[in-house]
Amino acid sequence: MNGGTLAYEEALRIVLDASARMPKQDCATSACLGRVLAEPVVSHVELPPFDNSAMDGFALSGDSSAVPAGSELTIEGEQAAGDGVSHAREGAWEIMTGARMPDGLDRVIPVEQTERTGNAQCIKLLADVESGQNVRRAGSDVGRGETILAAGTALAPQHLMLLAALGIPKVSVATRPRVAVLCTGRELVDDPATPLAAGQIRNSNGPYLVARLPLSGAEVVYAETVGDDATAFESALRRALEAGAQIVVTTGAVSMGRYDFVPQALENIGATTLFHKVAIRPGKPLLFAQLPNKALLFGLPGNPIAVAVGLRFFIEPALRVMLGLPPEAPRRIPLVASYSKKPRLRFHLKTRLHIDAEGRLGAEILGGQESYRIRPLADANAWAIVPADIDALPKGALVDVYGPSHFEFPLPCESVA
C-alpha cells in the first residue's frame, strides 16, 4: 500500500492504471441510449436515399440556365411523399415536401410562386427557377461509406435519430461495468416512510449513487446497507461479488474512528489497499483497493459531498477508461468573486455558472461548502477546482471547472444582470 496522504494526481494515476477497458458487445439501436460506442459507425447507404423536394410546389426540368418567370407549363402529374419512381416527359409535376423527384426533373418552384391557368391544367411561373433549386440531393446529409459516429461517442437521442434514419439496427458498444453499492452505518434508515428514532438519519448516499452510476455508464447490480460490523460488511461484500460486481463502492467506515472497520475488513479478506487518504477536500480519507478477484473497491467517506466528490473525480474517471472514453478536460472559467482557502489540500467546490448581462460566463463558488451540506449541491451546476498549492484567488481568476456529469458539460442555467 502507498503510505501517507497522496496528492490527487498520484492517487488518480493509481486508479486509472488499475482500470481495464471493458469488452465490446452488440446492442440494438432501440436500446443503446447512453451507451458508449466501442467501434465507429459507418453508413452503408445515402441520406437522403433519393433526390426529393424541399417543399410543396412544382418540379420542373430545364438546362443549366434558369426557367424564366412568365413561362407557362402543363401539369403532367403528381408526386406525393411515399410514391415510387415516376418518369417525367415535359411540363411540370405537382410535388409534395419529401416526395421523390420524378426522373428527368431537377428543380422545384414553391406553390406560392405560381398561379393556375388554363382551367387549372397549367401553371404560370412567377419567379425564375434555377437548376437544383429546392431539391434535397441524395447523400447530401450522409454519403455512402461515411463514418458518422466515432468510437467513444456516448449515444444521445440525436445520435439515435441519425442511426434510425440510416436503418442501422445495432451498434457495437462497450459493456457496462457492473457496480455494487454498500452503505455502512447503523444510523442509516433506507425506507423514507419509516420514522427516525433518536440518533438516526436517512440514507442519502445510497440513492444518490444508485441514481448517478447508470448516468455515468455503469450498471448497478447490487445495493445494500449494513451496520457498523465488519462481519456483516464482509458478508455483504461477498453478496456483491456474487452478483457480478466488478467495482464495489462503499460509503462510511474508512476514517480513523472506533467503528471505521473497512480497512481491517479488506485486510481480512486478502484485498490489496492501493492507497488510503488523498490530499483533497472533501473526501480526504478515501480508500482504493483491489479485491482478490481483481474487482476494484472505492471506499468513500460517509459525508454526502465526500461521496459526490469521490464519484465525480475518482470513480467516473475509472469508468471513462473502462468504457473507452478519452480523458476529460476541464474548462477554464473566471471567478465572479475572490476566494481563499487553507493550503495543502485540493478543494472541490460546489459551483454555479452564470452568464452576465454582457454575455460573459462566470463561476460562483457557493456558500455551504461543508461536506454534510446537500442543499448547495442541489443548487450547483458545476464543480470548481482550487489546487492544493493555492490559498487565495482574486475575482476574475481562471479556475478549472467540471460539469456535474462526466458525459456532458452543461450550459449554465441562469443569467444575472
Side-chain angles (χ1 to χ4, degrees):
M1 180 181 85
N2 282 278
T5 301
L6 294 186
Y8 170 78
E9 293 76 13
E10 175 63 12
L12 181 63
R13 183 192 64 77
I14 293 171
V15 168
L16 299 184
D17 286 349
S19 304
R21 187 163 180 175
M22 299 294 292
K24 60 188 178 182
Q25 62 178 177
D26 287 341
C27 182
T29 301
S30 59
C32 68
L33 181 65
R35 303 298 295 270
V36 177
L37 288 176
E39 296 179 349
V41 179
V42 176
S43 176
H44 299 294
V45 299
E46 293 181 317
L47 188 67
F50 46 79
D51 292 353
N52 69 89
S53 177
M55 58 186 59
D56 296 338
F58 291 89
L60 319 171
S61 63
D63 55 24
S64 58
S65 60
V67 178
S71 301
E72 295 196 22
L73 301 167
T74 301
I75 300 173
E76 184 182 74
E78 179 183 298
Q79 189 82 343
D83 288 347
V85 177
S86 297
H87 302 285
R89 296 185 301 276
E90 57 186 16
W93 279 63
E94 188 172 7
I95 195 166
M96 313 308 166
T97 303
R100 184 186 182 108
M101 290 290 290
D103 290 352
L105 306 185
D106 70 342
R107 64 199 75 191
V108 173
I109 185 170
V111 65
E112 60 268 23
Q113 293 180 1
T114 67
E115 63 180 26
R116 296 275 185 154
T117 62
N119 295 323
Q121 299 303 306
C122 299
I123 58 167
K124 179 179 180 180
L125 307 187
L126 304 180
D128 296 346
V129 193
E130 303 284 349
S131 177
Q133 184 173 322
N134 301 317
V135 175
R136 303 162 175 164
R137 294 298 185 190
S140 57
D141 190 5
V142 176
R144 188 188 305 271
E146 183 179 341
T147 297
I148 58 165
L149 294 172
T153 300
L155 293 169
Q158 63 268 29
H159 303 128
L160 272 59
M161 174 188 277
L162 181 58
L163 294 171
L166 293 167
I168 295 175
K170 62 182 180 179
V171 290
S172 178
V173 298
T175 302
R176 289 185 187 273
R178 297 187 297 276
V179 182
V181 175
L182 302 179
C183 297
T184 70
R186 64 190 181 96
E187 75 279 14
L188 298 179
V189 175
D190 287 336
D191 184 357
T194 299
L196 295 180
Q200 290 185 324
I201 61 171
R202 303 203 182 275
N203 182 4
S204 60
N205 291 332
Y208 175 78
L209 290 167
V210 169
R212 270 296 303 269
L213 283 162
L215 300 179
S216 304
E219 177 187 2
V220 177
V221 296
Y222 189 77
E224 184 178 347
T225 302
V226 298
D228 295 318
D229 179 88
T231 302
F233 174 78
E234 291 175 26
S235 297
L237 186 55
R238 283 194 297 272
R239 289 189 288 273
L241 297 177
E242 288 167 359
Q246 297 159 303
I247 296 175
V248 178
V249 181
T250 71
T251 68
V254 293
S255 191
M256 301 297 290
R258 179 177 177 183
Y259 294 105
D260 292 326
F261 55 83
V262 168
Q264 185 61 51
L266 293 176
E267 184 177 334
N268 292 345
I269 66 170
T272 302
T273 298
L274 300 176
F275 63 78
H276 186 192
K277 295 183 184 177
V278 186
I280 61 172
R281 179 171 291 177
K284 183 178 178 181
L286 189 145
L287 180 151
F288 179 60
Q290 191 168 58
L291 302 178
N293 70 342
K294 304 304 181 184
L296 304 179
L297 184 140
F298 292 86
L300 308 182
N303 279 314
I305 308 309
V307 169
V309 167
L311 172 62
R312 184 64 183 86
F313 294 99
F314 288 91
I315 299 171
E316 288 188 355
L319 291 173
R320 291 186 74 89
V321 172
M322 299 173 83
L323 293 167
L325 289 165
E328 185 179 14
R331 296 191 182 184
R332 299 280 286 168
I333 295 176
L335 290 174
V336 301
S338 61
Y339 177 78
S340 60
K341 71 171 183 64
K342 294 179 180 179
R344 298 188 300 279
L345 296 177
R346 169 185 159 115
F347 274 44
H348 303 78
L349 300 166
K350 293 165 275 192
T351 299
R352 188 156 192 85
L353 302 183
H354 297 289
I355 296 176
D356 67 17
E358 282 72 45
R360 294 171 299 197
L361 184 62
E364 175 195 3
I365 295 175
L366 299 177
Q369 290 295 330
E370 296 91 341
S371 61
Y372 76 92
R373 297 182 67 166
I374 302 172
R375 172 64 184 274
L377 180 66
D379 293 335
N381 62 6
W383 293 97
I385 307 302
V386 179
D389 59 350
I390 291 178
D391 58 6
L393 291 169
K395 177 182 177 180
L398 294 176
V399 292
D400 286 350
V401 174
Y402 293 83
S405 167
H406 78 108
F407 273 149
E408 185 175 2
F409 196 99
L411 291 174
C413 49
E414 66 180 61
S415 298
V416 293

